Amino acid sequence: MPKVYIETMGCQMNKSDTERMLGMLEHFGYEETKEPKEADLLMVNTCSIRQLSEDKAFSLLGLWGKWKKESRPHIKIGICGCVAQQKAEEVFKRAHYVDFVLGTHKIYSLPEIIKRINNGEKVCECAETNQTEDEKAKEYSIDRVKAVNAWIPITEGCNNFCTYCIVPYTRGRERSRQPELILKEAKDALKQGFKEITLLGQNVDSYGKDFKDKSYRLADLLKELNAIEGNFRIRFVTSYPTDITDELIQTAKDLDKVCEYFHIPMQSGNSEVLKKMNRRYDRETYGKIVAKIRTMVPDVTITSDFIAGFPGETEEQFRDTLSAIDEFELDYSNTAAYSPREKTVAAKWVDKFIPEDEKIERLARLNEKVRENCLKSNKKYVGREMEILVESFENHKGKNIITGRTRNNKLVHVPCETDRTGEFLNVKITGCKTWYLNGEIVD
Ligand code: SAH
Ligand code: SF4
Ligand code: F3S
């Protein structure tokens, strides 16, 4: 049996694509290996959100190319994901040992591509499409990573064109997957023992906007998923601030399986910067949305993303980002220093670029603020009793520990002698650190 190794970089969307590509390859006789040196087919599923992610992909390809040249001429090398979509044929110039380039739009062409490269061809499949690949998706099973949570994409692509972001260029226009297929994938995952379903999209709240034959939105999908029998949880990411409707908040609150968790990237706390980012809200509007959710959904966790050092960002504007984290009590935020991306609007504002050392310095202050608020947020739960879904069991410094997640997405470490992965347990929160809570099982 030929062996395949896939290195996955980037977001959950890529992780989900990898699970689908492995499912396909297994159908055609490949076996997955976790050891790249054993593989006959090596693939890297790439991310291009920042320059660093792109560089990482090419340096891995370089290493594999060396193996191929020096000792293992028979191996085949492929690149897929967002860098592949963006660079297409250019990849061959930079890395001539690559056998195929597969973009993000047509992952189901993979079996055909493998046939062609095995006949000695070099293949580049990066055509864009404005349709989902629902029909093809039905033909193959998904080789999901063994875990408690199953990721299910509900939309692909993005129409927002934030001025810093490459995703609309690498993932194309927004397309919603059919509800029947999503429900089927959820039921299959639950049958396999998964205890949590996370719906994925760049902007989950626009789910269904593009359906011409029906009026069916995220709230409808959540209701249908919630009605599936069994004890499991439902989450959805990512939410675009101004697309979150009252109906959606109410639905999320009312449905017992939908967790009290919203990921709502703000990107900057300053309204002028937000305008230049082409985000369709200002600081005040974002604050109102967060406040509304907090009033309607008790114990809700709200997380965000922020960029430090966007072109032209002044020190004062950057401080608005720090104060927004405080003012809106954001429980946790992903952070990044601005990285110029090919084709995007902001990448052309070279004269406004913030020097590298200043961006790094702002990022460090931003991270410090995130740490501070995360600890503050965790402290609120000390003394409370909460339900966790256990995700893992490990021996840490001589002690057996299970790690689980609360409905509102807090990690909890609990001493436990046996592996309870996949179980729902009630725990009492006894203390906390910056990134997690400590708990004890309540009988
Ligand atoms: N759809 C989501 C974000 C997807 S990209 C949203 O609209 O919020 C994930 C995160 O990467 C973004 O939230 C942003 O904070 C970060 N990001 C995107 N482009 C970036 C760039 N050029 N430089 C630095 N960070 C970037
Ligand atoms: Fe990128 Fe903006 Fe789309 Fe998010 S909404 S994926 S940040 S363009
Ligand atoms: Fe995801 Fe990176 Fe592409 S964040 S959508 S893999 S650019």
Side-chain angles (χ1 to χ4, degrees):
M1 243 191 191
K3 291 197 168 100
V4 55
Y5 173 85
I6 307 186
E7 174 89 23
T8 309
M9 301 172 171
C11 67
Q12 293 306 336
M13 210 50 106
N14 264 10
K15 291 184 185 141
S16 170
D17 284 348
T18 292
E19 293 178 335
R20 283 154 206 275
M21 291 192 287
L22 282 173
M24 256 180 274
L25 289 168
E26 279 158 16
H27 186 89
F28 288 97
Y30 277 82
E31 182 189 355
E32 188 195 6
T33 173
K34 303 277 182 206
E35 180 42 72
K37 291 219 154 136
E38 280 180 358
D40 306 284
L41 171 62
L42 287 158
M43 288 168 57
V44 55
N45 194 1
T46 58
C47 170
S48 50
I49 203 80
R50 292 187 282 276
Q51 187 61 40
L52 199 69
S53 353
E54 184 180 319
D55 296 346
K56 245 171 69 185
F58 279 104
S59 85
L60 186 62
L61 281 180
L63 173 73
W64 291 349
K66 208 164 146 229
W67 292 356
K68 186 168 175 169
K69 186 169 164 220
E70 290 175 357
S71 54
R72 302 169 59 211
H74 79 284
I75 57 173
K76 300 287 182 196
I77 300 177
I79 170 171
C80 47
C82 290
V83 175
Q85 183 66 41
Q86 175 204 0
K87 301 277 176 200
E89 297 273 352
E90 239 185 279
V91 172
F92 295 127
K93 281 189 217 142
R94 206 162 148 184
H96 55 89
Y97 42 81
V98 165
D99 296 283
F100 73 90
V101 183
L102 169 60
T104 56
H105 288 252
K106 292 196 172 164
I107 61 165
Y108 291 97
S109 316
L110 185 58
E112 185 56 36
I113 293 176
I114 301 295
K115 255 192 243 160
R116 288 170 61 191
I117 60 165
N118 284 340
N119 281 333
E121 259 186 81
K122 273 192 187 278
V123 183
C124 177
E125 173 59 277
C126 294
E128 284 204 19
T129 155
N130 50 16
Q131 284 166 349
T132 54
E133 290 197 284
D134 287 3
E135 287 310 313
K136 294 255 178 73
K138 285 183 197 152
E139 289 174 30
Y140 301 104
S141 48
I142 305 166
D143 181 10
R144 296 192 179 278
V145 172
K146 306 270 170 298
V148 295
N149 176 67
W151 303 92
I152 304 186
I154 62 167
T155 64
E156 294 165 20
C158 181
N159 291 346
N160 283 333
F161 289 94
C162 303
T163 54
Y164 51 83
C165 184
I166 200 162
V167 172
Y169 304 93
T170 63
R171 293 271 168 182
R173 293 297 62 70
E174 197 168 75
R175 319 174 288 281
S176 303
R177 301 179 80 220
Q178 288 300 326
E180 301 77 41
L181 181 60
I182 297 167
L183 289 162
K184 178 192 176 296
E185 289 185 359
K187 284 178 192 160
D188 286 350
L190 294 169
K191 248 184 248 153
Q192 287 168 30
F194 286 88
K195 303 286 182 190
E196 191 173 83
I197 302 291
T198 302
L199 305 177
L200 273 182
Q202 293 302 344
N203 179 4
V204 282
D205 313 273
S206 21
Y207 177 72
K209 265 189 193 168
D210 52 334
F211 290 147
K212 298 204 171 64
D213 56 339
K214 55 180 166 278
S215 152
Y216 190 98
R217 304 299 300 274
L218 180 58
D220 301 300
L221 182 61
L222 289 174
K223 282 180 204 155
E224 284 209 73
L225 280 168
N226 197 76
I228 300 175
E229 257 177 56
N231 192 12
F232 66 96
R233 291 173 173 179
I234 304 167
R235 301 183 187 278
F236 52 87
V237 286
T238 298
S239 302
Y240 191 92
T242 38
D243 289 340
I244 306 173
T245 58
D246 289 1
E247 189 202 358
L248 178 71
I249 308 171
Q250 194 58 44
T251 310
K253 179 182 188 272
D254 292 345
L255 299 176
D256 60 329
K257 289 169 182 149
V258 177
C259 294
E260 295 72 29
Y261 174 62
F262 283 78
H263 182 58
I264 321 172
M266 187 184 191
Q267 311 298 1
S268 165
N270 177 274
S271 299
E272 278 306 304
V273 175
L274 285 170
K275 214 183 270 168
K276 294 198 177 110
M277 287 176 160
N278 194 30
R279 301 288 286 184
R280 301 186 307 270
Y281 53 89
D282 56 14
R283 179 183 172 111
E284 203 192 345
T285 313
Y286 181 90
K288 279 190 187 147
I289 292 156
V290 166
K292 191 196 297 175
I293 298 174
R294 286 208 194 280
T295 321
M296 288 173 72
V297 188
D299 283 344
V300 67
T301 290
I302 299 179
T303 58
S304 186
D305 293 354
F306 287 99
I307 296 175
F310 183 74
E313 181 190 65
T314 63
E315 167 61 26
E316 213 181 342
Q317 289 172 331
F318 170 68
R319 281 199 212 137
D320 285 344
T321 289
L322 300 181
S323 71
I325 296 180
D326 280 334
E327 187 181 334
F328 308 134
E329 294 177 40
L330 298 172
D331 298 283
Y332 171 77
S333 300
N334 300 310
T335 61
Y338 170 73
S339 170
R341 309 308 294 129
E342 202 183 327
K343 292 189 188 154
T344 61
V345 173
K348 297 181 182 79
W349 302 335
V350 182
D351 57 327
K352 299 269 189 332
F353 281 3
I354 307 293
E356 208 53 40
D357 53 346
E358 214 164 310
K359 278 196 289 189
I360 301 298
E361 191 263 344
R362 284 183 194 175
L363 180 62
R365 280 153 67 204
L366 179 57
N367 287 338
E368 188 46 45
K369 178 56 75 191
V370 170
R371 274 195 288 273
E372 190 187 306
N373 270 53
C374 203
L375 183 62
K376 213 191 285 171
S377 156
N378 285 350
K379 280 184 179 159
K380 291 193 287 198
Y381 297 98
V382 176
R384 293 269 302 271
E385 206 175 299
M386 302 175 94
E387 180 202 73
I388 60 164
L389 167 57
V390 182
E391 292 182 353
S392 63
F393 172 68
E394 59 192 352
N395 190 285
H396 184 70
K397 293 183 187 158
K399 283 191 197 137
N400 286 328
I401 302 255
I402 50 172
T403 299
R405 216 171 269 275
T406 61
R407 287 177 59 97
N408 63 359
N409 214 33
K410 298 273 180 192
L411 273 183
V412 189
H413 291 188
V414 181
C416 183
E417 287 313 311
T418 49
D419 186 354
R420 313 280 301 261
T421 303
E423 289 183 46
F424 292 93
L425 298 176
N426 285 326
V427 297
K428 168 134 197 218
I429 307 303
T430 52
C432 72
K433 297 274 191 312
T434 300
W435 305 125
Y436 61 90
L437 307 171
N438 290 103
E440 277 169 7
I441 298 176
V442 179
D443 294 318

